[in-house]
Amino acid sequence: MSEFAELKLDGKTYKLPIITGTEDEKAIDIRKLRAETNYITLDSGYGNSGSCQSSITFIDGDKGILRYRGYPIEQLAEKSTFTETAYLLVYGKLPTATELADFREMLTRHSLIHEDMLHFYDGYPSTAHPMAILSSMVCSLSSYYPEWLDPHDQNQVNQLVPRVLSKIRTIAAYSFKKSIGQPVIYPKNSLDYCANFLYMMFAVPSEPYEVDEEMVKTLNMLLILHADHEQNCSTSTVRMVGSSDANLFASIAAGILALWGPKHGGANQEVMEMLETIQRNDGDVKKAIEMAKDKNSGFRLMGFGHRVYKNHDPRAQVIKKACDRILAKMNRVDPLLEIAKRLEEAALKDSYFVDRKLYPNVDFYSGVIYRAMGIPTPMFTVMFALGRLPGWLAQWVEMHRDGEGRIDRPRQIYKGETVRDYTPIAQRK
Ligand code: CMC
């Protein structure tokens, strides 16, 4: 039986259909609202608006649940690999052994970027942020595939998906090498996805390099935890840009740029810088807490709070648990981990954070692990982008396949001047 919500406006009653998701989430369908009533809804920040129906990722923010295609994130983080999870997100099912082998083969075969692209790196100053390089390189990839840029041709899209997944890791590793003045290391195709990335990051031509299995396992886990998060800012950007029928590379490059912001993926870099500042201030976490509570300070506790999670962020819990184990296995002691733990403890006892339901998010502990792996702080958000790419791809593909085909185009309520006549410059005050 269809359900409706009733809306009374100007003495008339309108029936608005209720849509129910598979996990019983409810939405009021307002798609015909403006046509029927001439009213729009106002929801800045989109905290109450669903932009699509999707079967990729489910989040219950009150219970701290995150699932990709129905599989709990905790199980995937423990048992899956990043390549397998990427397949799951993009194609909707866990691959069979043959499907996984074929997918791996595609990712391996396309790991090189066009040799001409190496010259692009020379144009950036050595201080360039790797997110600036990553976004423009990904956009530049579009120039090499002019025959495959039609978002409505599934064959063309199928060619591009594994290529983007494979090449982004090469682009990211090269940008690191360039920033430290080392020669780029070409991919080694006998290695799996994560091992190959670490090899390109840390090997040098002058000596042998063995990829550490513990690092590979850890990287798989971190990338899986970041792989999708339904309609967050960068994913919504990918969908919005894609809705104009912009090509896949342009859409993904836009997502990378949205991710860069400190309220989103850029937070992992800022967490580390915040912890370093606290360390320089004799480890005084109270000062950071007081500053975060002071609205005039302009400072927020980075890695804390989330639009959707109001209980705990399940990704942060997995990472926090892994932190001690991984650092011990890597034989590392990091004073910043101790500071992070003390900061969390102090915040979770403070009524400001408790009342606002602010908990550590995915970015709070991930940086500590990346640091232990030897990944420099400016690369942290690039790591987030590598992880999030399968989600962006899956959402972009789903939007074109199942969406309504309309360009995303929000409305507004105009609050400016009403009509007035043009004043010649001599008469203006
Ligand atoms: N430190 C201090 N106060 C905070 C924080 C924080 N980290 N986060 C939220 N608040 C306060 C905020 O000032 C507001 O207070 P009041 O009600 O008195 O005005 C209240 O909590 C609600 O905050 P909001 O800004 O309305 O919440 P939001 O859902 O719009 O923002 C957020 C979510 C993640 C942008 C925000 O919590 C934040 O800026 N956190 C720090 C940055 C961060 O860690 N970002 C990573 C997010 S997780 C990974 C990802 O998605 O990229």
Side-chain angles (χ1 to χ4, degrees), residues 263-265 267 295 300-301 303-304 307 352 356 361 363:
K263 286 186 179 169
H264 194 7
K295 301 277 188 226
R300 284 187 166 200
L301 209 55
F304 253 75
R307 170 65 61 81
Y352 174 95
R356 288 169 180 76
N361 58 49
D363 291 325

Side-chain angles (χ1 to χ4, degrees), residues 45 226 229 232-234 259 261-268 270-271 289 291-295 299-310 313 315 352-353 356-364 384 388:
H226 286 87
H229 214 231
N232 56 84
C233 178
S234 56
L259 187 75
K263 286 186 179 169
H264 194 7
N268 56 12
E270 304 244 345
V271 169
I289 300 266
M291 259 175 76
K293 286 158 62 173
D294 175 6
K295 301 277 188 226
F299 170 77
R300 284 187 166 200
L301 209 55
M302 298 316 285
F304 253 75
H306 199 276
R307 170 65 61 81
V308 181
Y309 295 119
K310 299 297 172 198
D313 180 337
R315 305 166 299 172
Y352 174 95
F353 294 90
R356 288 169 180 76
K357 299 185 177 165
L358 302 171
Y359 296 89
N361 58 49
V362 67
D363 291 325
F364 194 67
F384 196 151
R388 185 54 55 87

Side-chain angles (χ1 to χ4, degrees), residues 17-191:
I18 302 281
I19 299 211
T20 306
T22 46
E23 295 290 341
D24 217 27
E25 328 95 278
K26 305 272 186 192
I28 301 169
D29 183 348
I30 56 159
R31 278 175 287 187
K32 298 209 171 108
L33 183 72
R34 187 171 177 281
E36 289 179 1
T37 68
N38 218 21
Y39 279 71
I40 62 165
T41 57
L42 186 60
D43 185 24
S44 34
Y46 307 121
N48 307 284
S49 296
S51 61
C52 60
Q53 300 186 56
S54 174
S55 47
I56 300 171
T57 288
F58 172 70
I59 300 178
D60 183 328
D62 295 323
K63 295 194 184 128
I65 292 174
L66 168 61
R67 296 182 205 134
Y68 301 158
R69 303 283 188 185
Y71 297 101
I73 191 66
E74 295 82 0
Q75 289 183 23
L76 293 168
E78 190 193 331
K79 299 179 182 159
S80 185
T81 61
F82 179 61
T83 307
E84 184 183 66
T85 298
Y87 185 100
L88 170 71
L89 283 166
V90 176
Y91 303 109
K93 67 186 268 283
L94 282 171
T96 62
T98 316
E99 286 164 341
L100 185 59
D102 290 348
F103 189 52
R104 281 215 167 101
E105 164 71 12
M106 288 284 271
L107 297 187
T108 299
R109 199 174 329 130
H110 297 298
S111 55
L112 282 171
I113 56 172
H114 195 293
E115 198 68 7
D116 287 352
M117 287 187 84
L118 280 176
H119 301 299
F120 299 177
Y121 288 96
D122 298 334
Y124 292 98
S126 58
T127 50
H129 196 286
M131 285 296 274
I133 301 179
L134 187 73
S135 55
S136 42
M137 285 289 183
V138 168
C139 199
S140 303
L141 277 177
S142 60
S143 343
Y144 296 87
Y145 300 100
E147 72 285 17
W148 285 339
L149 298 181
D150 179 355
H152 300 290
D153 184 326
Q154 200 50 48
N155 283 334
Q156 296 184 23
V157 173
N158 287 344
Q159 300 295 336
L160 292 186
V161 166
R163 283 171 172 79
V164 189
L165 272 168
S166 186
K167 288 174 198 305
I168 195 171
R169 132 195 92 150
T170 311
I171 290 172
Y174 285 6
S175 69
F176 170 62
K177 284 298 194 195
K178 284 282 177 184
S179 74
I180 56 169
Q182 285 186 1
V184 302
I185 297 290
Y186 288 111
K188 194 194 241 182
N189 283 356
S190 56
L191 297 171

Side-chain angles (χ1 to χ4, degrees), residues 281-296:
N281 292 336
D282 302 322
D284 183 1
V285 295
K286 286 210 181 88
K287 200 171 157 196
I289 300 266
E290 289 314 312
M291 259 175 76
K293 286 158 62 173
D294 175 6
K295 301 277 188 226
N296 296 322

